[in-house]
Amino acid sequence: MRDRDDTAPHSAEDDALDLAIQALPRSQSPSRDLWPQLQAQLPPRHARRAPWAWAAAAAVAALALSVWIRPDLGPGTISAPPLAQLDSPTAEHSLLNVYESQKAAQMGALNFSNPSVGRQLAIWDGAVQQVRGALSYYPEEPRLLRQLDRLYRQQLNYLETLAMVDPQVAAYY
Amino acid sequence: MAEELQQLIRAAQAGDLASFARLHAQFVDRAYSVCLRLLVDVQKAEDACQETFIKVWQQLPQFRGDSAFATWLHRIATHTAIDLWRKDRLLRLVDEGEPDNQVASPDEGVPKDLENAIAALPRQARAVFVLFAIEGYTHAEIAALLEIAEGSSKAHYHRARTLLKESLSER
């Protein structure tokens, strides 16, 4: 850590500033654990995937997205394994661990009587299941992991918004 | 310790994610710190930090140990944060003299007065001050990084010191 140019004038205020600079911490911790999200974004290091595999993954992602946009289509044919059956620390598992606990904490702090809130969350849950189903075929596919990440963030933002507004107003959400 | 670090680096170079996770845990605070001080926004600093480690993961196979790993990683973090800082400036079309509105809240126990005063500096003066006084770059290096003249870097630095002294004496 450097305090000032050699040619800088010297004063008591300079000394005080230099001392304050020296006391600054060299490192600061982020407010949250960045690893789970980073892990989901890391490109695979193994051999390049064949073009047909990328096309298939994209098709599965598009299918998952279309079901999410059209919830009236009902449950899809792809099913995701329950969280308890995941026995390896995959990127998907890491995301689920982080977001499900955050979601549970936010849900626990809220008390909604309006069924539309439950319906809205069910739509997101359905989309999450669809993407997880696709991930069971392509476990490290970055686009699917990003989609999963986005879905959870949308849910958490929604819950956070509900928590901030007046309970009477929240009844209309 | 150094041998353990070398083993982690070699394993991560070979694609071992668990080793890379340990490298991340060891160096994330230092990388985040320079990003936060330059960008003064928690979300942007986190984004820059994530981008830094994605670059590190991608470039790690080419890392030959010519410099210390920490130095190499820190350079990537600094460049990444500066890229975001530059894009942010272009996007917002902010007056150079206008300080950022969103000031980060440092952790408990750090010298908050100075951290807040640095965060409130005009953008260019803050960037120069952080790079010179805290990160140890030379004015020539800063001039290249920020694409300004070396004399401008020195002028911004002295302006930053003057503003910081005024700010601290007011408290």
Side-chain angles (χ1 to χ4, degrees), chain A residues 1-5 14 18 20-21 24-26 28-32 34-35 38-39 41-43 45, chain B residues 12-13 15 17 21 24 29-30 32-33 37 46 50 54 57 114 129 132-134 136-137 157-158 161 165:
Chain A
M1 201 175 294
R2 185 172 15 189
D3 305 330
R4 58 173 176 261
D5 281 338
D14 280 306
D18 292 341
I21 294 169
L24 286 174
R26 295 289 287 169
Q28 298 176 63
S29 300
S31 57
R32 62 187 175 94
L34 299 179
W35 175 252
L38 173 67
Q39 188 183 10
Q41 293 177 346
L42 291 178
R45 191 66 81 57
Chain B
Q13 283 177 319
L17 210 52
H24 177 267
D29 288 1
R30 188 76 185 91
Y32 176 74
S33 178
R37 284 192 173 121
E46 287 180 357
Q50 299 290 63
I54 290 173
W57 172 252
L114 181 57
F129 181 83
F132 184 84
I134 302 176
Y137 285 81
Y157 175 70
H158 287 295
R161 278 191 72 91
K165 282 186 285 188

Side-chain angles (χ1 to χ4, degrees), chain B residues 72-89:
Chain B
W72 178 72
L73 189 149
H74 197 67
R75 291 255 163 191
I76 293 176
T78 305
H79 279 80
T80 304
I82 287 172
D83 282 347
L84 268 182
W85 176 88
R86 195 177 289 122
K87 281 179 196 166
D88 194 41
R89 184 183 60 179

Side-chain angles (χ1 to χ4, degrees), chain B residues 38-100:
Chain B
L38 283 169
L39 297 167
V40 199
D41 179 298
V42 169
Q43 185 59 54
K44 287 174 190 166
E46 287 180 357
D47 289 347
C49 197
Q50 299 290 63
E51 198 176 325
T52 295
F53 278 93
I54 290 173
K55 287 178 184 173
V56 168
W57 172 252
Q58 289 172 323
Q59 296 173 22
L60 199 53
Q62 285 80 49
F63 176 69
R64 294 282 169 258
D66 298 331
S67 61
F69 178 76
T71 307
W72 178 72
L73 189 149
H74 197 67
R75 291 255 163 191
I76 293 176
T78 305
H79 279 80
T80 304
I82 287 172
D83 282 347
L84 268 182
W85 176 88
R86 195 177 289 122
K87 281 179 196 166
D88 194 41
R89 184 183 60 179
L90 292 172
L91 283 173
R92 294 196 309 170
L93 298 174
V94 165
D95 176 6
E96 266 308 310
E98 182 185 330
D100 284 299

